[in-house]
Amino acid sequence: MTLPSLSALTPVPLEAFLTVAALLFCIGVWGLINSRNAVRVLMSIELMLNAVNINLMAFSSHLDGQEIRGQVYAIFVITVAAAEAAVGLAILLSLYRNRETVDMERFNLLRW
């Protein structure tokens, strides 16, 4: 069995990337709205950021061609998402040690 050459491969259309990104973003929004668990909320935010990264990469490849502007922005978003996840998990760990729950409804630390 021989592998096809690179010239025989057809590129994936932009609409396919946008569909996957929209689906991921919608799943993230649904998880953000419907979840009471703080870890699930953080995971939903990460899904939404990954959907944005897919859009950045797809539009960069489609519009710029050989320019790497979209890839640079995507790497920046990945870096910010990693910092957000680390800080968010540290806050959740602190809250869990104090309240022994990760339920968002029971975090009422600012109330009297």
Side-chain angles (χ1 to χ4, degrees), residues 28-29 68 75 77 86 103:
V29 168
I68 62 168
I75 290 173
V77 170
D103 188 11

Side-chain angles (χ1 to χ4, degrees), residues 29-105:
V29 168
W30 181 80
L32 192 67
I33 292 171
N34 288 332
S35 181
R36 291 175 38 178
N37 188 336
V39 177
R40 287 185 191 150
V41 168
L42 283 176
M43 287 175 25
S44 297
I45 292 170
E46 293 295 324
L47 272 178
M48 293 167 63
L49 289 172
N50 283 330
V52 170
N53 281 339
I54 290 173
N55 277 335
L56 284 171
M57 299 291 281
F59 279 116
S60 174
S61 175
H62 181 72
L63 297 176
D64 288 340
Q66 297 297 321
E67 295 290 322
I68 62 168
R69 201 172 309 144
Q71 287 87 345
V72 171
Y73 286 134
I75 290 173
F76 180 72
V77 170
I78 290 170
T79 305
V80 170
E84 173 260 333
V87 170
L89 287 174
I91 291 171
L92 280 178
L93 183 61
S94 175
L95 284 171
Y96 181 74
R97 285 182 180 167
N98 289 332
R99 300 288 174 160
E100 295 182 358
T101 184
V102 289
D103 188 11
M104 296 285 284
E105 299 292 325

